[in-house]
Amino acid sequence: MKKKNWKKKNNKALKERRTERSLPRTKKTLKNRIRDLRRLADRRPAENLEKEIEALSESLEGASANRRRVEVERKNAKRYHKIKFFERQKLHRKLRQVRRNLAEAATPELRGIEAKILEDLAYVEYYPKTKKYISLFVEGDDKTRRRRAKMREMALAAAAAAAAASSEKEKKELDDDDDDDDDDDDDDFFVAC
């Protein structure tokens, strides 16, 4: 009997020491927090509490979906980095060659080839990060060609949106710079003594 009692005392002392050390608790994952909130809503069905819990649960689900999307993007970036790198190298090499030929003799055919290469570069750079990458230089069946064409449209649309956003940003910066130039005229700091 005494041995059993001794173990209980030891166990209690161990628990106390463990709480005294206050080891950092692990942070609950979003999935666990969502599950806990749903369980809380089931236990206490008060209307005001239920609405708050539902709103918080929806925001956590959105954050969880965003986190899964980021994980998929990271996985695809790691998986397709080498393929994209080699395709970019090939395209840059072709582009240099075409621009050299354009410097010698500018023909509409070479300009068309240059435009196609620039589109291919945009395809590689702006390809949707959540989708499986379809290589430019590998021939495939009709299904693969259709998917590549669809992804090309998406990538080119993303490239156009990025170009529009950067041009708006540059325009805004130029407008801000023009406003700053007017302020320098009123400044007495640069007046000669």
Side-chain angles (χ1 to χ4, degrees):
M1 283 276 208
K2 290 183 179 180
K3 288 184 180 180
K4 208 175 207 185
N5 194 12
W6 175 79
K7 285 184 180 180
K8 284 183 181 178
K9 285 181 183 178
N10 233 4
N11 194 17
K12 187 176 179 182
L14 181 66
K15 285 180 182 177
E16 287 174 3
R17 277 185 272 146
R18 194 176 289 158
T19 56
E20 286 173 7
R21 283 185 290 184
S22 66
L23 295 174
R25 291 182 171 244
T26 58
K27 188 176 179 182
K28 287 189 174 182
T29 63
L30 288 173
K31 266 174 109 172
N32 287 344
R33 289 167 53 191
I34 292 169
R35 187 193 65 212
D36 290 347
L37 285 172
R38 286 191 178 146
R39 286 179 177 172
L40 181 64
D42 291 343
R43 275 186 264 149
R44 299 184 199 168
E47 288 184 27
N48 58 354
L49 182 65
E50 189 173 313
K51 289 177 184 176
E52 291 177 17
I53 289 173
E54 286 298 320
L56 188 58
S57 176
E58 287 176 12
S59 68
L60 287 175
E61 285 174 359
S64 178
N66 186 34
R67 186 173 178 189
R68 278 184 298 232
R69 182 186 54 80
V70 168
E71 287 174 6
V72 167
E73 287 179 3
R74 187 179 302 123
K75 181 186 80 168
N76 285 343
K78 187 175 180 181
R79 177 182 287 170
Y80 300 119
H81 175 76
K82 186 175 181 179
I83 297 167
K84 285 183 170 186
F85 174 76
F86 287 140
E87 288 192 354
R88 271 194 313 270
Q89 293 299 316
K90 287 179 185 180
L91 290 169
H92 281 296
R93 197 177 318 122
K94 285 183 180 181
L95 187 63
R96 279 194 306 270
Q97 184 180 11
V98 166
R99 285 188 174 163
R100 241 182 285 130
N101 292 340
L102 270 172
E104 293 172 5
T107 62
E109 181 182 321
L110 286 175
R111 295 220 185 271
I113 293 172
E114 180 186 29
K116 174 132 177 36
I117 292 172
L118 290 173
E119 283 182 3
D120 288 344
L121 278 170
Y123 173 84
V124 172
E125 184 175 348
Y126 291 100
Y127 191 88
K129 293 175 175 48
T130 57
K131 305 285 184 184
K132 179 181 175 186
Y133 185 72
I134 302 170
S135 179
L136 284 170
F137 301 112
V138 176
E139 291 299 320
D141 57 349
D142 289 336
K143 183 179 177 183
T144 306
R145 282 191 220 116
R146 282 194 305 268
R147 286 182 56 213
R148 186 182 301 132
K150 182 180 175 184
M151 291 299 143
R152 178 183 290 274
E153 289 174 10
M154 290 174 68
L156 293 179
S166 67
S167 66
E168 283 182 23
K169 185 177 178 183
E170 289 174 6
K171 184 178 179 183
K172 188 181 261 188
E173 287 176 359
L174 288 176
D175 291 342
D176 290 344
D177 289 343
D178 292 341
D179 293 341
D180 292 341
D181 292 340
D182 296 338
D183 294 340
D184 291 341
D185 296 336
D186 298 335
D187 195 6
D188 293 335
F189 182 75
F190 294 106
V191 177
C193 295

